[in-house]
């Protein structure tokens, strides 16, 4: 570009892309490409009709520019309207929803291409827009606020990535009833609020001064018991998802034989897995529902605590070659029965019964099952009932960190594989035992981690549609610092089982270690919603991600919960120490440092430079430096 002939001009820049494009491609590349082609044609027509110009259109993104701000906004609104009609006949998980960001800024033109910060701002606005939504900058709003029959919601001054100054952002509201209205996402941004603020301050100060003794008394009595109570209340106030939501409680073992407990538990887990593959359902994870096993808790309380509308409960009686299964679907609010059934069958029909129960639930909840859902559900476990029985027995032993039980579980899995060499889930379960051993055992030999890869690879080779092998492979790739490969594998697992909380949390962990903790926070939070009784490593993962974003207050908040849940989990103490150190809280740092050394007596002798899976070596260096600082308190 010739510096003396630079062309500068003001333009309205529109950035557009598809929400969930990666998921759509993972589900079905061919159909997604067809769909995006048809949508792009619609967009190009609208842009041309409103005197705009398409500047670039890589992948799912379309960048266009307009000389008129009004044309740019009207075009964007019409695009969303026409896409809404276009998407009407598609299932929710295949809708092609576009996000649009619009900014007014100075651009540099070079031949057919344009450059400038204004383009970057439009792209950032598009990334925070909702699916089928439009976000505009303050510069756009100032130009159109009184000229179009639209409403707006002020989202505040947003810190946008790689943009120096905060940008005022507005969401466009197309509902005719909201035309001409301005809403505020945060009440503090409302001018009326600001006018009333000073009057309120005087009253608040009076109350504070008059009641300071009571305040101090209440403050000093706030202890860990109270904190747990608040956390529990927050958990009990989970909102019900938009889609039908369900929790499958552990089926009761009615066989009169405690050794048959593994079978009723295994049946429950398989039903959860099958239902979680239906994209139109919201299914609570195994970990949370098994919290209620053996407890006498009312259905409405479980519904509140897990944030679901429906509860499935049942029982299993297995005697010889016969099995009786009862199941009932209950509305958690009314405690009324939506559906109930009893099955008396031969044990050889167990897989058919599982399919029937799943179909009855989906029908009762009027859930649309897509072709992708059917494909996921139809993935076979095994046709060999004896191998299946061995697999269920092994799972009961393998859901632990006890190395002795893991070894027993492996021996049983070997029998399952001997009976059915094509039982993919048995192979991935074997890989999981080795990963558990490597993470929680004292021996960090690479050969153990290699076993994870070997068994996971066998599972994938046997059945590429079985997701569990990809999950174990993702763990292997993370801890061998092959981050991109790990992300690819966990995305595949999630595409095959979209409700799996553990895999969402694993994806968040991978992104956190890969220099993307912001997205890690989002994914781990989603995992926590699917698994409200989440394991301690979710809390640690969330605290870790917040720590890497330098949000030390939120890091400490989550790590305190982690320590409260499992005081012996030393990584939580370590990150708490690092967070306290970053905030200059010397006494708290000293206490946390001593707890680290107490819970892991070998920490100073382990080879962290080689083991830590950070993509950025700077983060590894910071970890080691913190370790040296903690060492002084041994």
């Amino acid at each position: 570009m010739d510096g003396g002939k630079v062309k500068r001009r003001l333009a309205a820049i529109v950035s557009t892309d598809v929400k969930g494009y990666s998921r759509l491609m993972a589900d079905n590349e061919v159909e997604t490409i067809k769909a995006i082609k048809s949508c792009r044609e619609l967009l190009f027509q609208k842009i041309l009709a409103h005197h705009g110009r398409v500047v670039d259109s890589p992948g799912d993104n379309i960048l266009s520019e307009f000389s008129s701000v009004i044309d740019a906004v009207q075009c964007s609104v019409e695009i969303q309207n026409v896409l809404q009609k276009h998407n009407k006949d598609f299932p929710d998980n295949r809708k092609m929803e576009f996000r649009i960001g619009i900014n007014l800024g100075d651009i540099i033109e070079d031949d057919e291409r344009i450059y400038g910060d204004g383009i970057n701002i439009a792209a950032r606005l598009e990334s925070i827009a909702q699916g089928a939504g439009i976000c505009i900058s303050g510069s756009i709003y100032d130009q159109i606020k009184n000229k179009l029959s639209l409403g707006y919601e002020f989202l505040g001054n947003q810190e946008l990535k790689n943009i120096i100054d905060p940008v005022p952002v507005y969401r466009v509201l197309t509902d005719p009833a909201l035309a001409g209205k301005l809403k505020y996402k945060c009440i503090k941004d409302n001018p009326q609020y600001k006018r009333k603020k000073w009057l309120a301050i005087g009253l608040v100060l009076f109350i504070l001064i008059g009641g300071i003794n009571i305040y101090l008394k209440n403050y000093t009595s706030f202890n860990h018991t109270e904190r747990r109570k608040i956390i529990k209340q927050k958990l009990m106030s989970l909102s019900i998802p938009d889609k039908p939501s369900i929790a499958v409680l552990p089926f009761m073992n009615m066989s009169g034989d405690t050794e048959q407990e593994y079978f009723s538990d295994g049946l429950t887990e398989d039903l959860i897995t099958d239902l979680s593959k239906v994209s139109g359902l919201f299914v609570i994870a195994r970990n949370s529902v098994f919290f209620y096993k053996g407890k006498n808790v009312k259905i409405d309380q479980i519904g509140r605590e897990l944030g679901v509308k429906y509860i499935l409960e049942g029982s299993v009686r297995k005697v010889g070659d016969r099995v009786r299964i009862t199941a009932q679907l209950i509305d958690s609010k009314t405690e009324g029965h939506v559906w109930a059934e009893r099955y008396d069958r031969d044990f050889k029909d167990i897989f058919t019964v599982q399919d029937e129960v799943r179909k009855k639930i989906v029908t009762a909840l009027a859930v649309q099952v897509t072709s992708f859902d059917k494909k996921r559900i139809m993935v076979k476990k095994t046709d060999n009932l004896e191998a299946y029985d061995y697999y269920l027995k092994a799972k009961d032993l393998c859901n632990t960190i006890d190395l002795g039980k893991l070894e027993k579980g492996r021996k049983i899995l070997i029998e399952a594989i001997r009976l059915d060499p094509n039982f993919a889930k048995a192979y991935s379960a074997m890989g999981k035992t080795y990963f558990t051993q490597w993470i929680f055992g004292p021996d960090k030999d690479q050969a153990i981690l290699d076993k994870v890869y070997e068994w996971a690879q066998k599972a994938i080779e046997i059945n590429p549609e079985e997701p569990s092998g990809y999950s174990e492979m993702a763990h292997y790739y993370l801890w061998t610092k092959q981050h991109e490969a790990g992300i690819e594998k966990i995305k595949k697992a999630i595409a095959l089982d979209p409700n799996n909380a553990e895999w969402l949390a694993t994806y968040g962990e991978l992104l956190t270690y890969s220099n993307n903790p912001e997205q890690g926070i989002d994914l781990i939070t989603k995992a926590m919603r699917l698994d409200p009784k989440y394991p301690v490593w979710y809390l640690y993962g969330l605290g870790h991600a917040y720590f890497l974003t330098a949000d030390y207050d939120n890091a400490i908040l989550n790590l305190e919960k982690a320590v409260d849940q499992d005081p012996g989990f030393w990584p939580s103490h370590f990150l708490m120490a690092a967070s306290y150190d970053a905030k200059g809280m010397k006494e708290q740092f000293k206490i946390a440092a001593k707890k680290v050394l107490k819970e892991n007596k070998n920490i100073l002798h382990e080879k962290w430079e080689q083991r830590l899976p950070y993509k950025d070596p700077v983060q590894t260096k910071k970890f080691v430096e913190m370790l040296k600082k903690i060492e002084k308190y041994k």
Side-chain angles (χ1 to χ4, degrees), residues 452-622:
V452 179
Y453 178 89
E454 291 169 15
W455 287 102
Q457 183 63 27
K458 287 177 184 177
I460 294 169
E461 287 173 357
I462 290 168
N463 190 347
E465 300 303 314
E466 165 53 48
S468 55
Y470 297 102
S471 171
E472 295 312 311
M473 192 75 84
H475 287 302
Y476 169 81
Y477 280 133
L478 169 61
W479 291 95
T480 54
K481 303 181 185 180
Q482 301 177 68
H483 300 87
E484 296 306 318
I487 290 170
E488 179 189 343
K489 295 301 180 186
I490 199 64
K491 285 170 71 174
K492 179 67 175 177
I494 293 168
L496 293 169
D497 188 355
N499 274 292
N500 194 298
E502 181 182 347
W503 299 347
L504 284 170
T506 299
Y507 188 12
E509 183 183 40
L510 265 158
L511 289 173
T512 298
Y513 278 110
S514 302
N515 296 335
N516 193 354
E518 293 87 356
Q519 251 190 296
I521 290 168
D522 182 51
L523 285 160
I524 296 171
T525 303
K526 287 178 181 177
M528 287 176 158
R529 179 60 188 90
L530 282 165
D531 191 356
K533 305 292 185 182
Y534 38 76
V536 67
W537 73 269
Y538 286 25
L539 284 166
Y540 170 78
L542 193 56
H544 182 205
Y546 275 120
F547 176 79
L548 293 181
T549 64
D551 186 348
Y552 302 118
D553 289 330
N554 265 318
I556 291 169
L557 177 65
N558 284 282
L559 293 166
E560 280 182 344
K561 293 177 188 177
V563 167
D564 193 43
Q565 185 172 322
D566 186 355
F569 191 65
W570 72 264
S572 299
H573 294 293
F574 178 86
L575 273 185
M576 279 182 70
S579 299
Y580 287 138
D581 182 66
K583 287 177 67 67
M585 301 168 70
K586 295 181 180 179
E587 285 304 312
Q588 290 88 338
F589 168 78
K590 182 179 178 180
I591 294 169
K594 288 183 176 180
K595 286 182 178 177
V596 172
L597 298 170
K598 177 185 175 184
E599 300 300 338
N600 187 346
K601 300 187 187 309
N602 296 318
I603 191 171
L604 301 176
H605 308 292
E606 296 177 350
K607 299 177 181 179
W608 295 107
E609 291 90 342
Q610 289 79 34
R611 187 179 308 158
L612 286 170
Y614 288 108
K615 188 174 184 179
D616 184 356
V618 172
Q619 295 298 342
T620 302
K621 185 179 179 182
K622 286 180 180 179

